[in-house]
Amino acid sequence: LFLCIYVFSMISYLLADHHPLLAYLTNGYLYVVPIDAKGKLGKGVKPQRICKLWKNAKRESVSLTGAPNGKYVAITHCSGDYVGIWLVATKPNSKPFKVAMGSDPSWSPDGKYLAFTRIQGGNLSQPEWTYDVCIFDLTTNHMRVLRKQAREPFWSPKGTKIALIDESLNSI
């Protein structure tokens, strides 16, 4: 229920209580704006500035993944040898919350859980780093490992299963 497009800024489509939102990043700031079912802005609708992300956001790689319920945006932030996942509520003046060093965020269909690839070990330029698929519970702020030596999780439409790549077996 979201779409990410790379243009001059990063854009993510969210569905908040059946009212679509567009989240986007420009000049280091995260914004959300309500849109209609056709993806158009209503007359007089203005974007809400949520927060400033990082000082050098223009020179870093950032991607947005919107929660299906529209309450959060997962931000994958890549700078040099660092890749991290941050969460930001879609309310003005929200503060980014660091989940873990990782990538590949995937929201549960109800938006209550975030599966992702946690990266551990050395930095990204060294061979001893490892991947684990983890699940972050937004209700409890608790993270648990779902599968060691795995990556790229993706939730089933009903939220009952997660597909992933199992590195220990070199299989999907």
Side-chain angles (χ1 to χ4, degrees):
L1 297 175
F2 59 87
L3 173 68
C4 286
I5 303 171
Y6 288 95
V7 260
F8 294 105
S9 60
M10 175 51 68
I11 299 171
S12 184
Y13 174 77
L14 316 164
L15 190 62
D17 299 322
H18 304 290
H19 300 294
L21 291 174
L22 188 68
Y24 64 95
L25 179 65
T26 187
N27 297 324
Y29 287 93
L30 178 66
Y31 292 85
V32 296
V33 63
I35 56 176
D36 66 21
K38 294 180 182 179
K40 295 183 180 183
L41 295 174
K43 289 185 180 182
V45 174
K46 294 184 179 182
Q48 287 187 320
R49 183 185 286 184
I50 303 302
C51 66
K52 174 87 170 157
L53 293 178
W54 299 276
K55 290 180 183 176
N56 298 319
K58 290 182 181 180
R59 294 183 291 162
E60 299 167 345
S61 174
V62 176
S63 67
L64 306 178
T65 307
N69 62 11
K71 293 182 179 179
Y72 290 90
V73 176
I75 301 166
T76 304
H77 175 232
C78 187
S79 177
D81 284 348
Y82 173 83
V83 177
I85 296 177
W86 296 73
L87 289 178
V88 179
T90 55
K91 298 175 186 172
N93 301 314
S94 294
K95 303 280 188 216
F97 169 73
K98 183 179 177 183
V99 175
M101 188 169 170
S103 62
D104 311 318
S106 177
W107 288 100
S108 64
D110 62 7
K112 293 180 180 178
Y113 302 94
L114 182 69
F116 63 94
T117 302
R118 180 178 65 179
I119 301 170
Q120 290 190 171
N123 63 42
L124 298 179
S125 63
Q126 296 177 354
E128 69 267 6
W129 47 295
T130 61
Y131 301 110
D132 298 326
V133 169
C134 296
I135 297 177
F136 183 79
D137 182 334
L138 275 81
T139 306
T140 64
N141 287 342
H142 178 73
M143 180 182 72
R144 68 179 173 93
V145 176
L146 177 68
R147 169 83 105 206
K148 290 191 170 282
Q149 297 181 319
R151 59 186 171 88
E152 299 180 36
F154 190 82
W155 288 88
S156 66
K158 292 184 179 179
T160 57
K161 297 178 182 177
I162 296 177
L164 52 81
I165 296 174
D166 187 330
E167 292 286 329
S168 68
L169 303 173
N170 286 329
S171 65
I172 296 178

